[in-house]
């Protein structure tokens, strides 16, 4: 798997919604010992803890989504579609060096599967690397 500075190294990354991402990032760091590795405006923050990671996202709805890093987004997409996953979009390339698609499982949970395609400096797309 390609390493990409725009994405934490963890393979499975929960995305947790908070009304105020900046406040959440500071609180999670202070209370639980996370370290903020990347700030993306006021709508996203990547936090790491040892070899794990979590992404705080702007939102009011309770619950979470999952970001899963895969070696081949297209092959994974084909597998998920053939197994009956509700596909929300075809694999797409993003400027932060990731190829991603999203799906919903049989329980209604949202999953985003992401393949690193390049090592991209977050400053190139508006992110602020903290470490």
């Amino acid at each position: 798997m390609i390493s990409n500075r725009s994405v934490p190294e963890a393979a499975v990354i929960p995305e947790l919604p908070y009304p105020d991402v900046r406040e959440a990032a500071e609180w999670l760091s202070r209370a639980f010992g996370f370290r903020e590795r990347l700030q993306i405006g006021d709508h996203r923050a990547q936090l790491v803890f040892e070899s794990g990671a979590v992404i705080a996202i702007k939102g009011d709805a309770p619950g979470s989504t999952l970001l899963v890093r895969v070696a081949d987004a297209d092959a994974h997409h084909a597998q998920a579609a053939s197994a009956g996953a509700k596909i929300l979009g075809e694999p797409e390339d993003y400027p932060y060096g990731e190829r991603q698609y999203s799906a919903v499982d049989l329980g209604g949970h949202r999953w985003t599967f992401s393949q690193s395609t390049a090592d991209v400096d977050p400053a190139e797309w508006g992110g602020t690397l903290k470490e």
Side-chain angles (χ1 to χ4, degrees), residues 63-82:
S64 61
T65 61
L66 291 166
L67 175 72
V68 180
R69 299 186 72 211
V70 297
D72 184 335
D74 293 298
H76 195 278
H77 171 265
Q79 174 186 329
S82 70

Side-chain angles (χ1 to χ4, degrees), residues 20-32 34 36 47:
D20 185 329
V21 170
R22 298 303 323 135
E23 177 183 48
E26 291 167 12
W27 189 90
L28 291 167
S29 297
R30 190 173 59 253
F32 297 149
F34 280 89
E36 187 173 12
L47 299 112

